[in-house]
Amino acid sequence: AQTVTQSQPEMSVQEAETVTLSCTYDTSENNYYLFWYKQPPSRQMILVIRQEAYKQQNATENRFSVNFQKAAKSFSLKISDSQLGDTAMYFCAFMKLGGSGAGSYQLTFGKGTKLSVIP
Amino acid sequence: DAGVIQSPRHEVTEMGQEVTLRCKPISGHNSLFWYRQTMMRGLELLIYFNNNVPIDDSGMPEDRFSAKMPNASFSTLKIQPSEPRDSAVYFCASSSRRSKNIQYFGAGTRLSVL
C-alpha cells in the first residue's frame, strides 16, 4: 500500500512571496502519477498540477511548480507570487498505474497543508 | 462541460434513516470514484467503478454502505441505516484515460447525521 505524508499542517506566506509545501510518499511501484489538489473554503477539490513519474522534468503551471525527486520519493509544490486566492488546503496525492485491480487509478491523499496568504 | 454534479449539496438526517447521495460524472468519463473526507481520517476512497463495474470496494466501511452505477451517467451511494459517525463530506470524482487519468471532483455532499 502507498502512503503520502505532508509534514506541515499549516503554513503562511505574505502576498507576492514564494512558499514551498512538502510532500513525501512511500511506494514500491515504478509507474505512477503524483498530484497536488487545492481545496479552498468552498470545499471544491481543484487540480493544481500533475507529475508523471517517468518524466524527469518537473511540471509547471503558471505560478505553480514542483520539485520531483523520484529517488528520495519527494514531491514539493512551490507557489510563486502568492495571491490571496491561493489561501486553501493543499493535498498531495499518489496514483498507481497499471492493471485494473485494487489500488490502481485511485488517489491516495496526504492529510493536507493549510496555507494562509497574508495581505 | 458541467463538470461532476453531486446532489444534494447538504443533507441532514436522523440516526437510523436511509441516506442516498447522487453523482453524475463528466460525459465520456468511464471511471467513477466515491471518497469520504473527515477531520480524523482525511480523504479516503470508498469505492470505484470502471465502465459501470465496481472494481475496488475495500474502502466501504460496513455493510450499511452500498454503491451502484446503473449506467455511465449516474451513480448512487446509499447508507442504511445511517449513524452519527457517518457524518462527513462525500465526494464523487470521474476520470478517463483520454483525460490523462486526472480525477475531476464534484462539489461534495456534506452529510450530518444527528
Side-chain angles (χ1 to χ4, degrees), chain B residues 11-19 82-83 111-114:
Chain B
E11 177 80 37
V12 181
T13 191
E14 293 188 346
M15 183 173 64
Q17 297 297 307
E18 177 180 295
V19 175
S82 58
E83 296 182 3
L111 174 65
S112 298
V113 183
L114 306 177

Side-chain angles (χ1 to χ4, degrees), chain B residues 45-58:
Chain B
L45 179 75
L46 298 177
I47 186 170
Y48 93 86
F49 295 84
N50 199 40
N51 295 322
N52 311 338
V53 175
I55 300 300
D56 183 357
D57 66 354
S58 59

Side-chain angles (χ1 to χ4, degrees), chain B residues 1-111:
Chain B
D1 200 318
V4 177
I5 299 173
Q6 289 187 247
S7 63
R9 188 95 159 102
H10 305 277
E11 177 80 37
V12 181
T13 191
E14 293 188 346
M15 183 173 64
Q17 297 297 307
E18 177 180 295
V19 175
T20 299
L21 311 182
R22 296 172 176 80
C23 175
K24 177 179 169 56
I26 292 172
S27 176
H29 283 190
N30 65 331
S31 295
L32 184 139
F33 305 79
W34 283 100
Y35 293 90
R36 179 172 67 175
Q37 185 178 32
T38 61
M39 289 294 292
M40 290 296 294
R41 300 174 65 91
L43 277 153
E44 51 185 350
L45 179 75
L46 298 177
I47 186 170
Y48 93 86
F49 295 84
N50 199 40
N51 295 322
N52 311 338
V53 175
I55 300 300
D56 183 357
D57 66 354
S58 59
M60 295 286 262
E62 304 171 29
D63 291 345
R64 297 185 297 106
F65 285 68
S66 63
K68 293 182 180 179
M69 192 164 186
N71 57 62
S73 303
F74 185 65
S75 177
T76 59
L77 178 68
K78 185 177 293 186
I79 309 172
Q80 165 64 19
S82 58
E83 296 182 3
R85 60 194 166 119
D86 301 330
S87 297
V89 178
Y90 291 81
F91 286 101
C92 175
S94 71
S95 71
S96 70
R97 291 202 174 182
R98 189 174 299 177
S99 71
K100 300 180 181 180
N101 293 305
I102 293 170
Q103 291 185 22
Y104 295 89
F105 284 74
T109 295
R110 179 177 293 281
L111 174 65

Side-chain angles (χ1 to χ4, degrees), chain A residues 21-83:
Chain A
L21 309 183
S22 301
C23 173
T24 58
Y25 59 96
D26 188 22
T27 185
S28 58
E29 302 294 329
N30 198 44
N31 192 18
Y32 54 88
Y33 292 163
L34 295 162
F35 301 84
W36 280 96
Y37 278 88
K38 166 185 176 181
Q39 187 178 39
S42 66
R43 198 171 77 204
Q44 181 74 48
M45 293 288 287
I46 302 164
L47 176 70
V48 175
I49 201 164
R50 182 186 78 137
Q51 176 78 43
E52 292 139 304
Y54 67 88
K55 287 188 177 180
Q56 291 187 336
Q57 186 173 7
N58 290 322
T60 62
E61 285 289 341
N62 302 314
R63 298 183 295 109
F64 299 88
S65 62
V66 298
N67 183 2
F68 173 48
Q69 302 288 330
K70 190 172 183 179
K73 296 179 183 175
S74 170
F75 183 61
S76 61
L77 174 70
K78 185 171 83 171
I79 306 174
S80 304
D81 186 25
S82 296
Q83 300 175 0

